[in-house]
Amino acid sequence: MLFSITWKMFDNTKLDCYRAFMAMTPADDVADAGKGVTIVGRWHAVGSGSGVLIAETDDAAALTSFMVNWAGLCDITITPVTDDVTTRAVLNAKLAAPAASTEETSAQTTTT
């Protein structure tokens, strides 16, 4: 599953958070996410101390463990997300108009 993770650093911990992050290497990023969580991409809004990360995992405990690493420095929101193909399939299954039955079609034809 894919998750959108947004964060907003606490004003009083912003510099600590930046220092911790800037010291990390790509290998540290993988270790920080932990086994079972793949970081798909991460984007930063440095001025506001916020950003978004897309992670892929089927392990809620592993994702929670990853978030605990940063929970003392920022507010974190986790939202499950889907790609275009999955979203279209779900919407079509739930919202597509059902095909008219043969009886309904026959009744409409004879009354017109």
Side-chain angles (χ1 to χ4, degrees):
M1 290 181 62
L2 294 173
F3 295 89
S4 171
I5 301 162
T6 57
W7 69 86
K8 174 77 170 113
M9 295 175 205
F10 304 131
D11 288 337
N12 64 333
T13 63
K14 192 182 290 189
L15 292 178
D16 292 333
C17 192
Y18 285 143
R19 286 184 184 106
F21 182 76
M22 72 184 208
M24 295 176 72
T25 66
D28 293 332
D29 292 338
V30 171
D32 186 44
K35 186 177 179 181
V37 177
T38 301
I39 297 173
V40 176
R42 177 170 33 209
W43 298 266
H44 308 266
V46 175
S48 65
S50 62
V52 63
L53 179 144
I54 302 298
E56 186 170 10
T57 187
D58 290 325
D59 186 341
L63 186 61
T64 300
S65 178
F66 177 26
M67 295 303 97
V68 168
N69 296 344
W70 297 93
L73 299 170
C74 51
D75 280 325
I76 301 168
T77 302
I78 303 171
T79 306
V81 294
T82 54
D83 61 19
D84 289 352
V85 171
T86 302
T87 301
R88 286 185 182 117
V90 169
L91 293 174
N92 276 303
K94 293 289 188 174
L95 302 177
S101 70
T102 306
E103 290 177 26
E104 291 172 345
T105 305
S106 296
Q108 289 173 358
T109 305
T110 56
T111 57
T112 53

